[in-house]
Amino acid sequence: MAASRELLKKRMNSEHYQRLINLDNSRLEAFVADAIELCEPDSVWVSTDSAEDVEYSRKMAVKTSEEKALKISGHTIHFDGMEDQGRDRESTKYLVPKTDSLSKTLNQMEREQGLVEVRGLMKGIMKGRIMVVRFLSLGPNNSDFSIPCAECTDSFYVSHSLNLLYRPGYEEFKRLGQKAEFFATLHSNGKVDQRMVSAEPAKKRIYIDYTTETVYAVNTQYAGNTVGLKKLALRLTIRKADREGWLAEHMFLLGIVGKKGQKTYFAGAFPSACGKTSTAMLPGEKILGDDIAYFREVKGRCMAANAEAGIFGIIQNVNAKGDPAIWDVLNKPGEVIFSNVLIKDGSPHWLGMGVETPEDGENFSGKWHKGNKDAKGNEIPLAHKNARYAVALKALTNCDSELDNPSGVELAGIMYGGRDAKAYVPCQQSFSWEHGIIAYGASLETETTFATIGKEGVPEINIMSIQDFVAISLGKYIRNNLAFGKKLKKQPLVFGVNYFLRDKDGKFVNGVQDKHIWVKWMELRVHGEADAIQTPTGSIPCFADIARLFKDVLGKEYTQDNYTKQFTIRVAENLAKMERVEQFYRQNVADAPEELYSIIAEQKKRLLDAQKQYGNYIEPSKLAKK
Ligand code: GTP
Ligand code: SPV
Ligand code: MN
């Protein structure tokens, strides 16, 4: 008997040992055996896909007090520590072997050293605890998109979240047997306090060993750091997609319902907390995904699927009027995990929920009262800005029918958008696939948000909204995107959006509902039903088309003044932006494709020519329809 099997047999009860052995995968057995030997749990619980097993994780999350039941049936609350309220860029590192190198914008360390450190922290860490072994699938099952994943964790909150966010994978592992090439995550909460919250944030480590497709996460609970299938797997998926010739993206998937009821699918990349869920949830449309999408070329068409099956969404500003579909699931019986909101009398409260909120209760800081201050003397808000909810997509009335379609859906358009206060117009279409990928995707500028730990509002370049997760060279990643389009007979149209453009006084020039107009316009563009005006940075909507959409979709009057304010091309700001982008690539991306520099140069030239003719601010009325 192989060494792993012997250890497993000794340390597991026979039923759970058998569950593992039935999957007939030696790498899996070695992974679980190593996890047991390293973490020394009291017992090991292997979950199958059965309803009973799925329910066990849900129940245990409450029994262990990692979650508490709320008033509405099926609702629970989980708290993360004060220093564990978002993805932690600083503690998250790629483990790079001495013989390899990764782009310098990525946080990294030498592999052997990292393994010694993180494994040292995990030694004996599960003593007195149960280790749960989970099997799940990224992408629809029985599909070219599927990727099997295994996670060992001592957190039933993590395990419960996996139930809601991903597709079951035990049967998939069984089907694949030795062929299952899976991603593995080993997670531990580490030491917890009396509230069952990870108590040693200074020892938080999230290390990605891409050479063995294994991730270690310790002394953290925040789902973005611990649910292996989310951003941790995305990093590994990008490497896999690179090897296999497809794309894995930080994008939502949305079906826009046309006049005759036909659906046109769009994907959109926005950095964390910059608009993916808000766009995918537009009332009257169909949500297919809100965070991670896979694209494959099939017979010259771009087919897309959601890696996930649920939403781990930002709850701030979710209210009855703006987000009826989410509001509905958050207010009726059904499975919902709330995290880091305020709890009072068994009900959750959050910032921007549109109703009066209590002055006290329990929140991420513990017992809370309005005016309470943190250790640094800052007032503690009633809920964290990055407080979230986890729900299965199928719980939503607007969930798209094609969620589990193994072929995915055909994509008609892609959009890129970040928090760009100064330069890009609210909505524009690229001149070509390549122009869109470079001028909107690779040139994406944004500001840091509350979704990652650290200072908010710091401007940065975040390539395709995915930079943190690009575990291959950035140049190669961009070339893959360019090459992917060239393989397609029918390319999706590429758009740039900017929900966060500000006027001279620092006020946003658009309302939060305006994004609905931009995507409706995109749908018209896909079907050749709207004209556009050509500007130096892209094709923008004509006034009449969007005025009509504002009326039809939002019942709002849209004025020429609004249009001029929003769509005036700010030449100097755009030139400065292109300079910053070029500089970024020259300094950080040694292998950036030549095409990137030529597309940026062409855009600069168009801007300079226009500047000579029209000056620094070009009103759309001055430019010609195309
Ligand atoms: P992750 O889940 O972190 O990947 O984020 P996301 O891209 O799904 O972000 P989400 O759509 O949840 O939006 C994040 C924040 O942006 C929320 O607090 C929204 O209120 C705010 N937001 C969304 N759309 C707009 C908009 O059009 N204008 C402004 N000003 N804020 C917006
Ligand atoms: C993001 O930060 O982009 C998220 C939330 O979607 S998580 O990755 O889970 O932290
Ligand atoms: Mn995200």
Side-chain angles (χ1 to χ4, degrees), residues 87 222 230-231 234 250-251 270-274 276-277 290-292 308 312 314 388 451 465 469:
R87 274 192 297 106
Y222 175 72
K230 218 172 196 358
K231 299 306 180 334
L234 178 58
H250 189 200
M251 288 190 184
F270 297 70
S272 302
C274 293
K276 285 181 301 302
T277 310
D290 84 321
D291 203 46
I292 300 167
E308 310 184 284
F312 179 54
I314 295 168
R388 291 186 182 242
S465 306
F469 319 124

Short mmCIF file of all heavy atoms in Angstrom, two decimals, residues 87 222 230-231 234 250-251 270-274 276-277 290-292 308 312 314 388 451 465 469, ligand 3:
data_model
loop_
_atom_site.label_atom_id
_atom_site.label_comp_id
_atom_site.label_asym_id
_atom_site.label_seq_id
_atom_site.Cartn_x
_atom_site.Cartn_y
_atom_site.Cartn_z
N ARG A 87 -9.58 41.19 0.78
CA ARG A 87 -8.41 40.47 0.27
C ARG A 87 -7.17 41.18 0.75
O ARG A 87 -7.12 42.41 0.81
CB ARG A 87 -8.44 40.41 -1.26
CG ARG A 87 -9.26 39.24 -1.77
CD ARG A 87 -9.05 39.01 -3.24
NE ARG A 87 -9.50 40.13 -4.04
CZ ARG A 87 -8.70 41.00 -4.64
NH1 ARG A 87 -7.37 40.88 -4.55
NH2 ARG A 87 -9.20 41.99 -5.33
N TYR A 222 -11.71 35.67 5.95
CA TYR A 222 -12.39 36.40 4.87
C TYR A 222 -12.41 35.52 3.62
O TYR A 222 -11.37 35.01 3.19
CB TYR A 222 -11.66 37.73 4.59
CG TYR A 222 -12.24 38.46 3.41
CD1 TYR A 222 -13.49 39.06 3.50
CD2 TYR A 222 -11.57 38.52 2.20
CE1 TYR A 222 -14.05 39.70 2.40
CE2 TYR A 222 -12.12 39.16 1.09
CZ TYR A 222 -13.36 39.75 1.20
OH TYR A 222 -13.92 40.39 0.11
N LYS A 230 -12.12 30.86 -5.28
CA LYS A 230 -12.31 32.22 -5.75
C LYS A 230 -11.00 32.76 -6.34
O LYS A 230 -10.48 32.17 -7.28
CB LYS A 230 -12.88 33.10 -4.62
CG LYS A 230 -13.88 34.07 -5.22
CD LYS A 230 -14.65 34.85 -4.24
CE LYS A 230 -15.87 35.53 -4.75
NZ LYS A 230 -16.36 35.54 -6.07
N LYS A 231 -10.44 33.81 -5.78
CA LYS A 231 -9.30 34.43 -6.44
C LYS A 231 -8.04 33.56 -6.38
O LYS A 231 -7.14 33.70 -7.20
CB LYS A 231 -9.01 35.80 -5.84
CG LYS A 231 -10.17 36.78 -5.99
CD LYS A 231 -10.57 36.88 -7.42
CE LYS A 231 -11.71 37.82 -7.73
NZ LYS A 231 -12.70 38.13 -6.76
N LEU A 234 -8.33 31.43 -9.27
CA LEU A 234 -8.23 32.23 -10.51
C LEU A 234 -6.77 32.38 -10.93
O LEU A 234 -6.43 32.31 -12.10
CB LEU A 234 -8.89 33.61 -10.31
CG LEU A 234 -8.80 34.55 -11.52
CD1 LEU A 234 -9.43 33.95 -12.77
CD2 LEU A 234 -9.46 35.90 -11.22
N HIS A 250 -11.55 38.22 -14.74
CA HIS A 250 -12.27 38.78 -13.58
C HIS A 250 -13.46 39.56 -14.13
O HIS A 250 -13.44 40.79 -14.19
CB HIS A 250 -11.30 39.69 -12.80
CG HIS A 250 -11.84 40.16 -11.47
ND1 HIS A 250 -11.33 41.27 -10.83
CD2 HIS A 250 -12.79 39.67 -10.66
CE1 HIS A 250 -11.97 41.44 -9.68
NE2 HIS A 250 -12.86 40.49 -9.56
N MET A 251 -14.48 38.83 -14.57
CA MET A 251 -15.59 39.45 -15.30
C MET A 251 -16.95 38.90 -14.89
O MET A 251 -17.07 37.73 -14.56
CB MET A 251 -15.44 39.18 -16.80
CG MET A 251 -14.31 39.93 -17.47
SD MET A 251 -14.47 39.74 -19.26
CE MET A 251 -13.00 40.59 -19.82
N PHE A 270 -14.25 44.76 -14.17
CA PHE A 270 -14.12 45.94 -13.32
C PHE A 270 -13.31 45.50 -12.13
O PHE A 270 -13.52 44.40 -11.61
CB PHE A 270 -15.49 46.41 -12.81
CG PHE A 270 -16.45 46.86 -13.89
CD1 PHE A 270 -17.00 45.95 -14.77
CD2 PHE A 270 -16.80 48.19 -14.00
CE1 PHE A 270 -17.88 46.36 -15.76
CE2 PHE A 270 -17.69 48.60 -14.99
CZ PHE A 270 -18.23 47.68 -15.88
N PRO A 271 -12.39 46.33 -11.63
CA PRO A 271 -11.65 45.93 -10.43
C PRO A 271 -12.61 45.70 -9.27
O PRO A 271 -13.78 46.09 -9.33
CB PRO A 271 -10.74 47.13 -10.15
CG PRO A 271 -10.64 47.85 -11.46
CD PRO A 271 -11.95 47.65 -12.14
N SER A 272 -12.11 45.09 -8.21
CA SER A 272 -12.94 44.80 -7.04
C SER A 272 -13.65 46.07 -6.57
O SER A 272 -13.03 47.13 -6.47
CB SER A 272 -12.06 44.28 -5.91
OG SER A 272 -11.37 43.13 -6.36
N ALA A 273 -14.93 45.93 -6.30
CA ALA A 273 -15.77 47.03 -5.83
C ALA A 273 -15.88 48.17 -6.83
O ALA A 273 -15.95 49.34 -6.47
CB ALA A 273 -15.28 47.56 -4.47
N CYS A 274 -15.90 47.84 -8.11
CA CYS A 274 -16.04 48.87 -9.14
C CYS A 274 -17.20 48.63 -10.09
O CYS A 274 -17.31 49.30 -11.12
CB CYS A 274 -14.74 49.02 -9.91
SG CYS A 274 -13.39 49.67 -8.92
N LYS A 276 -19.00 45.19 -11.02
CA LYS A 276 -19.41 43.95 -11.70
C LYS A 276 -20.80 43.49 -11.26
O LYS A 276 -21.69 43.33 -12.08
CB LYS A 276 -18.39 42.82 -11.45
CG LYS A 276 -17.11 42.99 -12.25
CD LYS A 276 -16.13 41.85 -12.02
CE LYS A 276 -15.73 41.73 -10.57
NZ LYS A 276 -15.12 42.93 -9.98
N THR A 277 -20.97 43.28 -9.95
CA THR A 277 -22.27 42.78 -9.49
C THR A 277 -23.36 43.79 -9.82
O THR A 277 -24.44 43.41 -10.30
CB THR A 277 -22.25 42.48 -7.98
OG1 THR A 277 -21.10 41.68 -7.70
CG2 THR A 277 -23.50 41.75 -7.54
N ASP A 290 -21.03 37.01 -11.73
CA ASP A 290 -20.68 38.37 -11.30
C ASP A 290 -19.21 38.55 -10.96
O ASP A 290 -18.83 39.62 -10.51
CB ASP A 290 -21.55 38.80 -10.11
CG ASP A 290 -20.98 38.31 -8.80
OD1 ASP A 290 -20.47 37.17 -8.75
OD2 ASP A 290 -21.01 39.07 -7.81
N ASP A 291 -18.38 37.52 -11.19
CA ASP A 291 -16.98 37.72 -10.76
C ASP A 291 -15.92 37.06 -11.64
O ASP A 291 -14.91 37.67 -11.91
CB ASP A 291 -16.83 37.26 -9.31
CG ASP A 291 -15.65 37.92 -8.60
OD1 ASP A 291 -15.50 39.15 -8.72
OD2 ASP A 291 -14.87 37.21 -7.96
N ILE A 292 -16.16 35.82 -12.05
CA ILE A 292 -15.09 35.10 -12.77
C ILE A 292 -15.69 34.39 -13.98
O ILE A 292 -16.62 33.59 -13.85
CB ILE A 292 -14.38 34.09 -11.85
CG1 ILE A 292 -13.75 34.84 -10.65
CG2 ILE A 292 -13.31 33.32 -12.61
CD1 ILE A 292 -13.29 33.93 -9.52
N GLU A 308 -18.26 30.20 -11.36
CA GLU A 308 -18.93 30.04 -10.07
C GLU A 308 -20.43 29.77 -10.26
O GLU A 308 -20.94 29.83 -11.37
CB GLU A 308 -18.76 31.33 -9.26
CG GLU A 308 -17.30 31.80 -9.19
CD GLU A 308 -17.13 33.01 -8.31
OE1 GLU A 308 -17.47 34.13 -8.72
OE2 GLU A 308 -16.65 32.84 -7.18
N PHE A 312 -20.72 36.24 -4.03
CA PHE A 312 -20.19 36.76 -2.78
C PHE A 312 -20.12 38.26 -3.02
O PHE A 312 -19.13 38.78 -3.51
CB PHE A 312 -18.82 36.13 -2.51
CG PHE A 312 -18.15 36.61 -1.25
CD1 PHE A 312 -18.79 36.55 -0.02
CD2 PHE A 312 -16.86 37.12 -1.29
CE1 PHE A 312 -18.15 36.99 1.14
CE2 PHE A 312 -16.22 37.56 -0.14
CZ PHE A 312 -16.86 37.50 1.07
N ILE A 314 -20.92 42.54 -2.55
CA ILE A 314 -20.85 43.68 -1.64
C ILE A 314 -22.28 44.10 -1.28
O ILE A 314 -23.11 44.30 -2.16
CB ILE A 314 -20.12 44.85 -2.33
CG1 ILE A 314 -18.66 44.45 -2.59
CG2 ILE A 314 -20.21 46.13 -1.50
CD1 ILE A 314 -17.91 45.39 -3.52
N ARG A 388 -20.44 41.65 3.11
CA ARG A 388 -20.95 40.95 1.91
C ARG A 388 -22.05 39.97 2.25
O ARG A 388 -22.29 39.67 3.42
CB ARG A 388 -19.80 40.22 1.21
CG ARG A 388 -18.79 41.18 0.57
CD ARG A 388 -17.74 40.49 -0.24
NE ARG A 388 -16.79 41.45 -0.77
CZ ARG A 388 -16.57 41.69 -2.08
NH1 ARG A 388 -17.21 41.00 -2.99
NH2 ARG A 388 -15.69 42.60 -2.47
N ALA A 451 -12.30 46.79 -0.95
CA ALA A 451 -12.31 45.32 -1.10
C ALA A 451 -10.94 44.70 -0.83
O ALA A 451 -10.82 43.50 -0.64
CB ALA A 451 -12.80 44.92 -2.49
N SER A 465 -8.41 44.71 -14.96
CA SER A 465 -9.02 44.50 -13.62
C SER A 465 -8.57 43.21 -12.97
O SER A 465 -9.21 42.73 -12.03
CB SER A 465 -10.56 44.46 -13.71
OG SER A 465 -11.03 45.58 -14.33
N PHE A 469 -4.05 38.91 -10.08
CA PHE A 469 -4.21 37.46 -10.25
C PHE A 469 -3.46 36.89 -11.44
O PHE A 469 -3.50 35.69 -11.70
CB PHE A 469 -5.71 37.12 -10.40
CG PHE A 469 -6.60 37.91 -9.46
CD1 PHE A 469 -7.64 38.68 -9.93
CD2 PHE A 469 -6.36 37.88 -8.09
CE1 PHE A 469 -8.45 39.42 -9.06
CE2 PHE A 469 -7.15 38.62 -7.21
CZ PHE A 469 -8.20 39.39 -7.70
MN MN B 3 -14.20 40.31 -7.66
#
